[in-house]
């Protein structure tokens, strides 16, 4: 079984579905609500586990009840949480996500800024066997250690690059693959044109680079040119966590030994299926569903 | 030790402090956050316990992790939760409360409407000894049973009447005391004038009635006239849960055998102290603090 180590952020989102967006000084009754695990690395790990991979998550969480919810939700998804470190007297991160009837979202998030940013404990941990490593840029020190470990073992080291990307500068130079979001790519390079920006990012980092454009697919550099893969056509019900799930699927395929093009196609199918259902990462698909969609669209 | 049974709603509030109110399609970073227990009856129980009384809470909560947080927070406050019933496959209630730098609040709340509204289990439960009963109108069947039990034992039965008050019609006719909020009083009587409304409420219910007016104090009927007690002057930092804490303190004093006027003065002092601190019911004071304020203001 392919084994992926994901490193980064794990949170809880309290999601409320409302008719209309709430206004100040008002009390709005939600017509539905869900407590949904979130965070880039955690969502990716949950998606990998659903797809039949072995997912090991390394993350920092407070020793509090929100942290209990985070870990419990991940264990329910089959994610190995041995490297999820709990910090005494620190609080876990959580968000309130309000979604109105048009699918528009309003997010308020809280992060305990006193949570230790260091990753020396991870560097000296006894890591499990893995076929690829995926890290998000929200925990820069963790990302750096993750990319070093991948390089040491000769496995793909994939970075999910979101702003502020420069904070994860050290990891950028070690990663074998960097998958930018549109904002992350602009944030790093200052370039608006996708091809120019990708070339600048590749020149600076020496990594294979791509940018995920949501419903507009994925663009990457290939054979001195630019390649593009469109997204799969779906009715998007809920895009929460779609990018994270994409990264998890992409890392899984690279870990299995697939080429980038094949991995992108697979990840696009996974993200499309996720977006067709409500509930954040809880909408991530099983392997068979992805195979079925890929066969259908061939 | 004076023992109070409170019956009604127990929830969790996820409170976020922000600079400016969030807007749709934006991600707002909170500068602070707190997971705070809430719900009328639960807040009242926590306040009673802090004031040195014995607080027994009867409430309905889902068998979920949010429910675990609710019960755990109440136990930490010394509240007896033997009558907090957990329902399998049901979800607990929770809210997102966003407070901006001006103290303005934006609330989105979720309640599982499939949570069994019946209170037959409470009626047939082995209730603890109590000196008074307090119920909120958010669980109408529970409130009815609570008021019946109080009447059976000859103890004060106090109703915290918030809209929609008519849903708790049965309890209204049995309560010995009804403390309305301004909206609750208008909702029941359709009268805008406070005295007219109080007289209508007293005539309909046969109970002793008052209305709590926040910073404008409390008005009630006494000796065929209208009596008024101003609130204590404080700089209000956080009014979340102030009304609930007031009701808890009022019930405790009536349970101790005090008259209504004395109970109102005590409850006003308790609510004022609570409002002077951030953190919802976590700002509720100890008995000694209340005594000190009352002595100072005499």
């Amino acid at each position: 079984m392919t084994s992926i180590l994901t490193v980064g952020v794990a949170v809880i989102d309290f999601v409320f579905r409302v008719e209309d967006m709430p206004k100040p000084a008002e009390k709005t009754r939600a017509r539905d609500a869900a407590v949904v695990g979130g965070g880039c690395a955690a969502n990716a790990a949950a998606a990998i586990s659903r797809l039949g991979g072995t997912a090991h998550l390394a993350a920092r969480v407070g020793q509090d009840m929100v942290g209990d919810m985070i870990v419990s939700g991940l264990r329910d998804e089959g994610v190995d949480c041995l490297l999820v470190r709990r910090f005494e007297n620190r609080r876990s991160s959580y968000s309130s996500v309000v979604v109105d009837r048009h699918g528009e979202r309003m997010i308020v998030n809280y992060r305990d800024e006193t949570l230790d940013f260091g990753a020396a404990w991870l560097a000296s941990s006894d890591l499990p066997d893995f076929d690829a490593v995926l890290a998000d840029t929200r925990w820069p020190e963790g990302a750096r250690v993750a990319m070093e470990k991948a390089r040491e073992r000769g496995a793909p080291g994939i970075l999910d690059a979101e702003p502020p990307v420069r904070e994860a500068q050290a990891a950028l130079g070690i990663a074998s693959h960097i998958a930018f979001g549109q904002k992350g790519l602009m944030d790093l390079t200052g370039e608006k044109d996708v091809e120019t920006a990708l070339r600048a990012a590749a020149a600076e980092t020496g990594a294979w680079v791509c940018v995920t454009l949501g419903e507009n697919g994925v663009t990457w550099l290939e054979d001195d040119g630019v390649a593009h893969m469109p997204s799969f056509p779906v009715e998007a019900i809920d895009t929460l966590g779609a990018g994270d799930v994409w990264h998890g699927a992409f890392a899984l395929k690279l870990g299995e030994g697939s080429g980038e093009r094949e991995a992108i196609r697979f990840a696009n199918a996974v993200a499309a299926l996720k977006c067709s259902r409500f509930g954040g990462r809880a909408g991530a698909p099983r392997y068979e569903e992805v195979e079925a969609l890929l066969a259908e669209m061939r």
Side-chain angles (χ1 to χ4, degrees), chain A:
Chain A
M1 201 148 70
T2 307
S3 170
I4 311 293
L5 171 64
T6 73
V7 177
V9 174
V11 306
I12 282 275
D13 293 330
F14 298 96
V15 185
F16 300 86
R17 298 181 88 172
V18 298
E19 282 300 307
D20 297 296
M21 278 295 171
K23 293 186 182 64
E26 277 187 10
K27 204 178 225 177
T28 303
R29 178 68 69 89
R31 61 187 170 88
D32 196 6
V35 180
V36 183
C40 313
N43 284 348
I48 289 162
S49 180
R50 287 213 175 182
L51 290 166
T54 301
H56 306 280
L57 174 66
R60 301 158 307 135
V61 167
Q63 188 65 271
D64 57 359
M65 293 199 73
V66 172
D68 294 345
M69 294 175 88
I70 291 170
V71 172
S72 164
L74 285 162
R75 291 216 170 105
D76 287 349
E77 287 287 355
V79 174
D80 164 38
C81 293
L82 281 179
L83 294 171
V84 176
R85 185 159 174 197
R86 309 290 299 269
F87 289 83
E88 288 260 2
N89 301 314
R90 290 293 174 272
R91 292 193 285 161
S92 303
S93 300
Y94 54 97
S95 302
S96 163
V97 180
V98 181
V99 186
D100 75 7
R101 67 179 187 281
H102 308 296
E104 192 157 49
R105 293 200 302 240
M106 187 164 80
I107 302 178
V108 180
N109 62 9
Y110 169 73
R111 281 204 247 170
D112 187 341
E113 297 293 351
T114 68
L115 203 58
D116 187 1
F117 276 86
W121 64 270
L122 180 62
S124 61
S125 288
D126 195 16
L127 297 187
D129 284 335
F130 56 76
D131 301 297
V133 178
L134 169 68
D136 66 54
T137 49
R138 301 283 172 85
W139 179 26
E141 276 301 296
R144 184 183 58 77
V145 169
M147 295 303 107
E148 281 170 359
K149 295 288 184 185
R151 178 171 280 196
E152 275 171 26
R153 299 201 189 173
I158 303 122
L159 203 59
D160 171 1
E162 287 197 54
V165 176
R166 287 280 172 211
E167 285 187 6
Q169 184 82 36
L172 286 170
I174 317 171
S176 65
H177 295 71
I178 307 175
F180 292 91
Q182 201 158 9
K183 284 180 184 167
L185 185 59
M186 272 237 358
D187 180 58
L188 182 74
T189 64
E191 301 285 350
K192 278 187 186 163
D193 177 69
V194 165
E195 183 176 347
T196 312
L198 282 174
R199 289 197 189 282
E204 175 180 336
T205 64
W208 177 97
V209 294
C210 77
V211 57
T212 58
L213 303 163
E215 63 185 344
N216 295 316
V218 177
T219 300
W220 71 101
L221 297 180
E222 191 179 80
D223 302 333
D224 277 346
V226 172
H228 182 79
M229 177 99 59
S231 66
F232 287 84
V234 283
E235 196 196 348
I237 302 284
D238 175 12
T239 59
L240 186 67
D244 307 330
V245 163
W246 188 95
H247 288 95
F250 181 70
L252 179 66
K253 272 290 158 185
L254 290 190
E256 284 178 1
S258 297
E260 287 85 3
R261 178 176 284 271
E262 193 185 341
I264 289 169
R265 187 161 185 269
F266 180 80
N268 281 4
V270 170
L273 288 165
K274 192 233 86 66
C275 289
S276 68
R277 304 159 189 165
F278 179 69
R281 77 178 182 213
R286 308 269 159 203
Y287 201 88
E288 302 71 44
E289 299 174 77
V290 186
E291 289 284 282
L293 178 61
L294 287 172
E296 185 189 318
M297 304 301 288
R298 203 167 288 274

